[in-house]
């Protein structure tokens, strides 16, 4: 059967400050996640560098979301879910016995696949986290709200409708609001679980721009099924297949000169 | 060919199903109209009716209501119109003394009966001591009842048993026949023609029917003790059932796992919702009063607790459904910014589940307000005064559902107070209706707020 010529993934030029001077922020050592007997993530070992964008790609059901949600222990919600191996965040074992999950999640924020603002006003959405942390001062809260919305590139669009219900915003705005909400508690890491999969191309582009702006200040881990997106916004890319980390490396290198056969097959669209 | 017949069968099935559905809805609406129609029409008669001067006098003497001078003047005018009746009777009594013995005894019997009927219509006859019971102190206060009593004055009820194959036929024999040829003969025509002057009916809007206490076991006055008792019982039941129910719902939806014990517990709660209410009533008596002595005897507290147990399954189930219906994404969003489970529940899940929870609560309130069986043994008394708040801990209370039953079956003069019974039914129906409308509005408002 004749093979079709497949488009190659466009990879931008090398990004600045990625010359081996990065330090690991999250370290996985033979880390596995089980759903009852089923091993969804199999002995993954990788180092996620501080301040950079790390993309995790792979076909549906490869365990990339599971791995991401393991980083801030969102999998704890799922009954029958357990882990093995080690996962370190700033040298501290995330699954250690004395970990305060609530405090951990404040340091490792998350943005979800579908925009999920609360059915409250824009302002109340952004300051939900700080409120939980016990900040009561109105002007301080207003300051945090403005700072977070500016960082999430949403301030210009919503500064005159802070008291309107967040569900009245467009999908893209809602997703940036969720990013602002995550940023409001000053996390060190931002986990993004396919943040643009429910958005139109224009909103997607805005979110991708935003990820570029946040890069450097936050460690970002981005799960995406969209390889172009991974190529556009990430510094490092990990390819997960059936729970196994097949290949992990600099994005440009991985997309242009994949070392593994499976990686090449996947990025050229032969499966997945 | 075969597919064609199948199509025909399917169409027929579809049509008959639609027919059945529409039919049952029509039947339901018809039943509702047939039941509610008379309730509204006759219940309204407790508030708006033609009140006689007796009503105004009764109001003045028992509630201190109305302009005393005006009412007394009116009563005097009515007395004036009644005077010929009394004069005729007095004269007839004098004539009786001159009659022969057997004749006199016969007329005395007739006269005694006539006087009984007149007392019912117009109140005590002149010169008689004031009766003890308020019901005998006044004549008819309502014109519709006066018309019935007038018939009793004018006619004697007799039964014709001449045809043994049929039940006794009731015939009304004019009472004037008893007194044919005596000086009392014109009395009946006089009463018939002058009853309006004697009772002076006037259309009256008695809105205080809702807020007056009853006089002499509902012969006169209003239904406030019943209304207040119902409110106490309902609010009291909610006070216990709502917090418990919501906490239980949160536990079941958020904390309890999916184990065998929990699913058993769930079906147990569902079953509990179907237990006959009289069983709850007996439980309330056995447990709250006899076992833990929450009060010495019937009390609003014991009744409220019993009703709370009755509606608890409904509250739990409605609240659990509502909590479960909150999108998982809200929960994840709250947890991901570092909210604890408890904070997530109080700040995100409960507000989002509020419409559903409220609906469950208000439906339960309607149920608690209307339940009769659970309060028979635990709270309801036939006659009582409106309770002060602290008295609810130790005392029973009249309540609308129980007193409707009581007035319909156990009251010593069911026919005399039919209108009160209908007034109570109307009040109860409106109360429950109001609660349901409130639930719908509340739900709509909160849902709108949540949707943005």
């Amino acid at each position: 059967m004749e093979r079709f010529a497949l488009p190659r993934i466009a990879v931008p030029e090398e990004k600045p400050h990625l010359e081996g001077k990065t330090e690991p922020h999250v370290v996985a050592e033979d880390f596995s996640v089980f759903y009852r007997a089923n091993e969804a993530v199999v002995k993954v070992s990788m180092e996620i560098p501080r301040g950079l964008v790390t993309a995790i790609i792979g076909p549906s059901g490869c365990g990339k979301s599971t791995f991401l949600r393991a980083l801030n222990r969102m999998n704890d919600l799922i009954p029958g879910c357990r882990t093995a191996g080690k996962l370190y965040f700033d040298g501290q074992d995330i699954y250690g016995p004395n970990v305060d999950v609530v405090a951990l999640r404040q340091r490792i924020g998350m943005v979800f696949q579908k925009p999920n603002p609360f059915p409250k006003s824009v302002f109340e959405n952004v300051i939900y986290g700080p409120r939980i942390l016990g900040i009561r001062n109105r002007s301080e809260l207003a300051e945090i709200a403005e700072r977070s919305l500016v960082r999430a590139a949403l301030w210009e669009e919503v500064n005159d409708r802070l008291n309107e219900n967040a569900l009245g915003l467009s999908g893209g705005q809602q997703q940036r609001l969720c990013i602002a909400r995550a940023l409001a508690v000053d996390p060190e890491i931002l986990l993004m679980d396919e943040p643009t999969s429910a958005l139109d191309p224009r909103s997607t582009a805005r979110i991708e721009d935003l990820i570029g702006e946040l890069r450097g200040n936050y460690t970002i881990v981005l799960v995406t099924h969209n390889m172009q997106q991974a190529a556009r916004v990430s510094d490092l890319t990990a390819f997960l297949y059936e729970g196994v980390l097949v290949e992990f490396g600099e994005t440009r290198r991985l997309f242009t000169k994949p070392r593994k056969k499976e990686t090449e097959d996947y990025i050229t669209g032969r499966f997945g | 060919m075969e597919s064609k017949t199948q199509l025909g069968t399917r169409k027929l099935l579809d049509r008959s199903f639609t027919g059945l559905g529409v039919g049952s809805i029509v039947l339901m609406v018809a039943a509702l109209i047939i039941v509610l129609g008379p309730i509204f029409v006759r219940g309204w008669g407790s508030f708006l009716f033609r009140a006689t001067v007796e009503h105004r006098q009764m109001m003045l003497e028992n509630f201190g209501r109305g302009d005393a001078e005006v009412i007394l003047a009116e009563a005097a005018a009515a007395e004036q119109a009644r005077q010929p009746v009394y004069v005729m009777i007095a004269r007839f009594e004098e004539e009786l003394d001159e009659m022969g013995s057997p004749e006199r005894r016969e007329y005395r019997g007739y006269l005694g009966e006539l006087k009984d009927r007149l007392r019912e219509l117009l109140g005590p006859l002149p010169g008689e001591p004031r009766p003890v019971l308020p019901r005998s102190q006044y004549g008819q206060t309502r014109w519709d009842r006066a018309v019935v009593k007038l018939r009793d004055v004018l006619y004697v009820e007799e039964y014709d048993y001449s045809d043994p194959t049929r039940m006794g036929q009731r015939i009304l024999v004019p009472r004037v026949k008893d007194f044919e040829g005596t000086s009392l003969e014109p009395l009946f025509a006089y009463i018939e023609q002058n009853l309006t002057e004697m009772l002076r009916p006037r259309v009256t809007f008695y809105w205080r029917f809702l807020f007056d206490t009853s006089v002499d076991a509902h012969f006169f006055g209003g239904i406030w003790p019943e209304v207040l008792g119902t409110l106490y019982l309902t609010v009291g039941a909610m006070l216990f059932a709502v917090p418990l129910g919501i906490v239980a719902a949160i536990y079941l939806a958020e904390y309890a796992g999916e184990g065998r014990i929990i699913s058993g517990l769930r079906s147990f709660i569902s079953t509990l919702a179907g237990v006959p209410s009289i069983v709850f009533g007996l439980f309330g008596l056995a447990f709250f009063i006899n076992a833990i002595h929450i009060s010495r005897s019937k009390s609003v507290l014991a009744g409220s607790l019993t009703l709370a147990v009755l509606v608890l399954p409904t509250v739990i189930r409605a609240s659990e459904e509502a909590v479960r219906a909150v999108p998982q994404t809200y929960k994840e969003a709250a947890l991901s910014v570092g909210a604890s489970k408890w904070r997530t529940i109080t700040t995100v899940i409960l507000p989002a589940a509020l419409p559903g929870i409220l609906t469950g609560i208000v439906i339960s309130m309607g149920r608690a307000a209307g339940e009769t069986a659970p309060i028979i043994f635990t709270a309801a008394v036939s006659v009582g005064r409106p309770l002060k708040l602290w008295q609810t801990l130790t005392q029973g209370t009249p309540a609308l559902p129980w007193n409707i039953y009581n007035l319909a079956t156990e009251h010593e003069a069911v026919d005399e107070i039919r209108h009160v019974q209908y007034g109570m039914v109307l009040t109860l129906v409106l109360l429950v209706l109001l609660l349901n409308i409130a639930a719908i509005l509340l739900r709509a408002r909160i849902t709108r707020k949540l949707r943005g």
Side-chain angles (χ1 to χ4, degrees):
Chain A
M1 218 161 84
E2 202 186 341
R3 288 247 313 272
F4 291 99
L6 290 157
R8 293 206 61 85
I9 308 280
V11 182
E13 287 303 300
E14 185 110 8
K15 291 195 171 137
H17 68 89
L18 187 69
E19 291 93 36
K21 58 178 179 182
T22 57
E23 51 160 324
H25 206 175
V26 174
V27 178
E29 284 174 8
D30 286 337
F31 183 71
S32 301
V33 182
F34 299 86
Y35 290 133
R36 301 195 202 279
N38 177 27
E39 197 169 6
V41 173
V42 187
K43 295 197 169 161
V44 166
S45 297
M46 69 190 282
E47 291 183 357
I48 296 170
R50 187 187 293 274
L52 297 183
V53 180
T54 303
I56 303 176
I57 61 169
S60 299
C62 72
K64 53 192 195 299
S65 278
T66 303
F67 179 71
L68 189 77
R69 294 164 67 94
L71 296 180
N72 69 344
R73 292 187 58 168
M74 286 304 273
N75 285 336
D76 289 10
L77 294 180
I78 299 162
C81 182
R82 62 189 177 83
T83 62
K86 293 286 178 198
L87 194 61
Y88 296 103
F89 163 54
D90 253 354
Q92 180 199 7
D93 187 359
I94 291 177
Y95 286 86
N98 299 321
V99 171
D100 179 355
V101 180
V102 167
L104 176 81
R105 289 189 188 134
Q106 273 158 13
R107 294 175 65 192
I108 307 181
M110 190 159 191
V111 177
F112 298 85
Q113 198 166 347
K114 261 179 72 183
N116 58 351
F118 299 125
K120 301 174 186 231
S121 72
V122 172
F123 181 74
E124 287 295 327
N125 261 285
V126 181
I127 60 151
Y128 180 80
R131 271 251 170 90
I132 295 288
L133 287 175
I135 298 173
R136 295 264 176 278
N137 188 326
R138 189 82 192 163
S139 62
E140 196 179 341
L141 287 173
E143 203 178 296
I144 291 172
E146 179 172 352
R147 194 172 63 222
S148 309
L149 286 167
V150 167
R151 273 194 209 158
L154 190 60
W155 175 252
E156 296 292 318
E157 290 160 59
V158 300
N159 62 19
D160 54 345
R161 47 203 279 211
L162 289 178
N163 291 318
E164 280 172 38
N165 195 306
L167 299 181
L169 301 178
S170 74
Q173 289 173 329
Q174 287 188 13
Q175 192 61 300
R176 273 179 283 149
L177 177 63
C178 292
I179 294 174
R181 182 176 62 192
L183 295 180
V185 286
D186 255 331
E188 296 165 38
I189 300 183
L190 204 54
L191 308 176
M192 295 181 148
D193 188 0
E194 303 193 20
T196 60
S197 64
L199 303 181
D200 61 81
R202 266 191 64 168
S203 306
T204 301
R206 294 229 48 179
I207 301 277
E208 287 181 8
D209 289 348
L210 176 57
I211 292 173
E213 286 160 30
L214 296 174
R215 179 177 175 273
N217 292 319
Y218 303 91
T219 302
I220 294 174
V221 186
L222 171 74
V223 161
T224 178
H225 61 257
N226 180 338
M227 283 175 282
Q228 279 86 352
Q229 184 171 68
R232 278 194 298 267
V233 302
S234 71
D235 301 291
L236 293 160
T237 299
F239 171 56
L240 235 61
Y241 182 59
E242 291 187 340
V244 178
L245 181 66
V246 176
E247 192 167 347
F248 178 45
E250 215 178 295
T251 299
R252 204 173 114 83
R253 204 268 307 142
L254 189 130
F255 277 103
T256 50
K257 282 175 242 144
R259 286 182 190 139
K260 294 272 172 66
K261 178 85 173 54
E262 293 101 315
T263 315
E264 187 177 359
D265 285 352
Y266 181 68
I267 60 177
T268 52
R270 233 160 276 160
F271 74 91
Chain B
M1 272 318 275
E2 200 185 71
S3 73
K4 213 170 194 176
T5 31
Q6 275 183 348
L7 188 67
T9 318
R10 252 182 292 154
K11 268 189 180 162
L12 189 70
L13 271 174
D14 271 358
R15 256 188 229 134
S16 41
F17 185 77
T18 313
L20 275 175
V22 171
S24 62
I25 290 170
V26 167
L27 199 71
M28 200 180 68
V29 171
L32 211 64
I33 291 170
I34 289 167
V35 172
L36 288 184
I39 288 176
F40 274 90
V41 173
R42 298 189 62 171
W44 188 235
S46 288
F47 296 90
L48 191 69
F49 58 95
R50 299 176 77 186
T52 64
V53 64
E54 300 291 320
H55 172 80
R56 295 185 274 284
Q57 251 179 309
M58 184 274 294
M59 279 293 162
L60 178 67
E61 287 169 19
N62 288 283
F63 297 97
R65 229 168 266 153
D67 188 338
E69 260 176 55
V70 176
I71 292 169
L72 288 179
E74 202 186 7
E79 201 58 34
Q80 197 75 41
R82 295 173 191 185
Q83 212 54 49
V85 177
Y86 302 142
V87 168
M88 269 188 256
I89 287 174
R91 197 184 311 139
F92 183 67
E93 277 177 328
E94 276 168 28
E95 284 172 26
L96 271 184
D97 291 340
E98 287 152 27
M99 285 181 194
S101 172
E103 209 180 10
R104 184 171 60 200
R105 198 180 312 139
E106 193 184 342
Y107 277 126
R108 275 221 190 284
Y110 292 147
L111 184 64
E113 206 175 310
L114 173 65
K115 279 163 96 172
D116 282 346
R117 299 285 162 266
L118 276 176
R119 276 191 208 101
E120 282 181 19
L121 180 63
L122 300 173
L125 304 176
E128 289 178 349
R130 190 174 167 87
V132 179
L133 287 178
R135 71 186 74 165
S136 319
Q137 287 169 4
Y138 305 96
Q140 290 304 312
T141 55
R142 297 167 61 93
W143 182 249
D144 53 348
R145 292 300 306 162
V147 172
V148 175
K149 294 295 175 188
L150 174 66
R151 200 199 59 199
D152 290 346
V153 170
L154 298 180
Y155 298 95
V156 184
E157 222 172 65
E158 280 181 5
Y159 287 87
D160 175 12
Y161 299 106
S162 55
D163 183 353
T165 59
R166 297 171 69 185
M167 292 253 296
Q169 298 295 103
R170 194 181 72 154
I171 34 175
L172 292 176
V173 182
R175 196 180 289 277
V176 68
K177 277 196 179 149
D178 293 347
F179 299 96
E180 230 164 6
T182 69
S183 62
L184 219 47
E185 216 183 311
L187 174 85
F188 299 94
Y190 178 82
I191 294 177
E192 196 171 6
Q193 281 158 19
N194 295 291
L195 191 65
T196 323
E197 266 76 90
M198 291 187 228
L199 287 173
R200 309 173 77 87
R202 204 160 64 207
V203 174
T204 305
F205 182 43
Y206 180 32
W207 59 271
R208 280 196 167 108
F209 178 73
L210 266 188
F211 304 106
D212 275 347
T213 55
S214 90
V215 176
D216 193 6
H218 291 293
F219 267 86
F220 311 120
I223 56 170
W224 179 239
E226 284 77 15
V227 174
L228 188 68
T230 301
L231 292 178
Y232 276 147
L233 284 168
T234 313
V235 173
M238 289 302 126
L239 239 47
F240 295 111
V242 168
L244 278 176
I246 292 179
V247 168
I250 289 172
Y251 170 74
L252 284 174
E254 294 292 327
Y255 288 90
E258 295 295 325
R260 198 167 290 174
I261 296 172
I262 294 299
S263 64
L265 196 67
R266 263 200 203 97
S267 22
F268 182 72
I269 291 170
S270 298
T271 315
L272 217 55
V275 170
S277 52
I278 187 76
V279 177
F280 280 105
L282 287 169
F283 161 77
L285 172 68
F287 183 70
F288 292 121
I289 297 179
N290 290 348
I292 65 170
H293 302 292
I294 207 151
S295 56
R296 224 160 42 80
S297 174
K298 289 179 181 181
S299 71
V300 175
L301 179 64
S304 295
L305 284 167
T306 309
L307 285 171
V309 176
L310 174 87
V311 298
L312 198 55
T314 321
V315 176
I316 292 177
R317 267 185 353 185
S319 307
E320 194 195 339
E321 302 263 302
V323 169
R324 275 181 194 283
V326 175
Q328 183 79 8
T329 58
Y330 288 178
K331 217 197 303 181
E332 286 179 343
L335 290 172
S336 73
V337 292
S340 63
K341 191 164 186 175
W342 178 242
R343 287 301 287 271
T344 305
I345 288 167
T346 53
T347 57
V348 176
I349 294 180
L350 278 186
L354 202 58
I357 294 177
L358 276 176
T359 310
I361 289 174
V362 179
I363 287 172
S364 306
M365 270 179 97
R367 172 117 195 258
E371 273 295 349
T372 315
I375 58 173
I376 292 178
F377 309 117
T378 54
V381 296
S382 311
V383 177
R385 302 200 60 77
L387 298 185
K388 303 273 190 300
L389 194 57
W390 69 86
Q391 293 174 319
T392 57
L393 297 179
T394 52
Q395 291 185 29
T397 178
L400 287 170
W402 156 254
N403 281 65
I404 289 166
Y405 167 74
N406 183 51
L407 288 198
T409 57
E410 297 180 355
H411 196 275
E412 62 265 38
V414 171
D415 277 331
E416 306 289 328
I417 42 81
R418 204 58 96 181
H419 59 279
V420 181
Q421 189 196 327
Y422 272 98
M424 281 187 190
V425 174
L426 177 66
T427 310
L428 183 59
V429 168
L430 287 182
L431 201 74
V432 174
L433 199 70
L434 221 67
L435 283 174
N436 282 299
I437 291 173
I440 292 163
L441 291 181
L442 209 64
R443 192 191 164 88
R445 218 181 122 172
I446 295 173
T447 314
R448 210 177 324 125
K449 217 171 133 193
L450 288 180
R451 290 252 168 78

